[in-house]
Amino acid sequence: MAVQPVVYGEGERPPRGNYARANDDYTCAQDWSAYTAQDHDTYRRLYERQTAQLPGLACNAFIESLPHLGAKERIPRFEDVNEPLYKATRWEIVAVPGLIPEEAFFALLAGRKFPVTDWIRKPEEFEYIVEPDVFHDLYGHVPMLFNPQLADYVQRYGEGGLKAARLGACEMLSRLYWYTIEFGLIREAGALRAYGAGILSSAGELPYSVNSPEPQRRPLDLLRTMRTRYKIDSYQQTYFVIDSFQQLFDMTEGDFTPLYAQMRGMPEFAANATGD
Ligand code: HBI
Ligand code: FE
């Protein structure tokens, strides 16, 4: 086995993917012929349900780019998506067997390669799945990579992640990814819209994040965002809002080292060094 399976969170869930056939960089081939009729039908149902609720909730960039995914009735072939994607922002998607170690993840993003899980949830997981499957990754993340500023931000995030790994600051930086690429909101013409993949691929959290009075909504602020813990299996208690993707890209211009040092001095980080 070239690589070790990656188990996330509490570690009691065995990894879903077939890591035995992954390359050393954790990428694998999308074995499109292995998808069953049920797999394609699950994708079709998820796509249909999610797309019906986008107007008034999803950001313009997502709605405009979604058609580039092509097939709606079946799981698209990744190479078919790569054609328009590479032309648009020089990104490409690569298949992975599931969650991969942080450094491997950062390295792929730094190379403008987005890892897309190649398996899809079972029908009984239709409502909710903890680990990202092909619907979360392909439907949630990939349309946003057609937006030039966001595409550059994700690559810069990958480069920053490799640096954070050397500084032992992955936990802090992963919160920035969580509250932007996964669960970010943007203000468009004065109205809130979702651009985070975790929201855009979730039937429940999409309306909740934009319309519910329950969660906090704050302007994205590097320090505050990187100090805000998150849970992977419930709706967010706080969403961070940007005014434009250019603002997001510009905010991550600088060197984060002083930020990490400043946070290490704060009580919540001093307590347990890992900050988990
Ligand atoms: N692996 N395949 C995959 N997809 C992710 O979104 C992902 C990952 N590994 C680590 C990870 N995300 C997060 O911990 C990042 O913040 C690094
Ligand atoms: Fe994701």
Side-chain angles (χ1 to χ4, degrees):
M1 174 177 299
V3 294
Q4 289 308 312
V6 172
V7 184
Y8 261 68
E10 308 68 46
E12 84 286 353
R13 288 189 309 278
R16 302 274 289 259
N18 176 355
Y19 289 75
R21 57 189 183 82
N23 305 311
D24 286 350
D25 64 357
Y26 278 85
T27 61
C28 61
Q30 179 194 23
D31 182 359
W32 198 83
S33 63
Y35 294 131
T36 64
Q38 187 177 70
D39 289 338
H40 289 302
D41 190 52
T42 300
Y43 183 88
R44 180 188 62 75
R45 290 168 58 224
L46 286 166
Y47 186 105
E48 195 174 284
R49 177 178 68 169
Q50 206 57 26
T51 306
Q53 61 167 343
L54 297 179
L57 296 174
C59 69
N60 292 331
F62 182 85
I63 294 177
E64 284 156 20
S65 302
L66 182 61
H68 286 306
L69 294 189
K72 303 176 184 171
E73 310 288 321
R74 57 169 176 76
I75 298 171
R77 293 171 192 271
F78 293 176
E79 74 255 19
D80 293 346
V81 181
N82 277 332
E83 216 179 294
L85 179 60
Y86 195 79
K87 273 199 198 96
T89 55
R90 287 179 296 102
W91 269 86
E92 62 178 296
I93 60 179
V94 288
V96 289
L99 287 170
I100 64 177
E102 290 189 327
E103 287 196 60
F105 181 70
F106 294 140
L108 288 172
L109 298 188
R112 287 177 98 88
K113 289 181 170 60
F114 195 87
V116 176
T117 297
D118 64 349
W119 52 264
I120 194 161
R121 68 193 75 180
K122 294 294 164 239
E124 55 272 23
E125 298 169 299
F126 188 77
E127 286 312 321
Y128 178 70
I129 185 167
V130 182
E131 282 181 65
D133 69 343
V134 65
F135 184 74
H136 167 91
D137 281 334
L138 192 65
Y139 186 95
H141 282 287
V142 176
M144 290 312 301
L145 291 173
F146 282 83
N147 174 277
Q149 289 84 18
L150 195 100
D152 287 346
Y153 168 70
V154 177
Q155 180 180 23
R156 180 178 274 174
Y157 178 86
E159 291 160 353
L162 292 171
K163 200 170 158 189
R166 290 194 298 275
L167 298 169
C170 284
E171 172 60 32
M172 297 178 198
L173 188 66
S174 70
R175 293 173 182 162
L176 181 61
Y177 186 85
W178 189 265
Y179 287 113
T180 55
I181 299 303
E182 292 296 356
F183 291 95
L185 296 178
I186 184 169
R187 202 175 300 286
E188 284 183 343
L192 279 179
R193 293 290 182 267
Y195 73 91
I199 306 177
L200 289 163
S201 58
S202 160
E205 194 153 7
L206 180 52
Y208 174 82
S209 66
V210 174
N211 294 325
S212 167
E214 249 178 75
Q216 304 243 19
R217 294 179 183 88
R218 299 178 186 287
L220 183 71
D221 167 86
L222 287 180
L223 208 50
R224 178 162 205 131
T225 304
M226 289 203 279
R227 291 177 64 185
T228 306
R229 295 171 189 278
Y230 59 84
K231 286 194 284 174
I232 62 170
D233 50 7
S234 62
Y235 290 177
Q236 304 313 305
Q237 291 161 345
T238 306
Y239 294 95
F240 288 89
V241 186
I242 59 174
D243 291 312
S244 71
F245 295 120
Q246 188 62 45
Q247 173 209 347
L248 184 59
F249 181 69
D250 296 345
M251 277 177 86
T252 53
E253 190 83 50
D255 171 15
F256 281 22
T257 311
L259 268 179
Y260 297 144
Q262 197 183 338
M263 285 195 288
R264 283 211 175 85
M266 293 175 180
E268 75 265 29
F269 285 99
N272 50 342
T274 55
D276 56 9

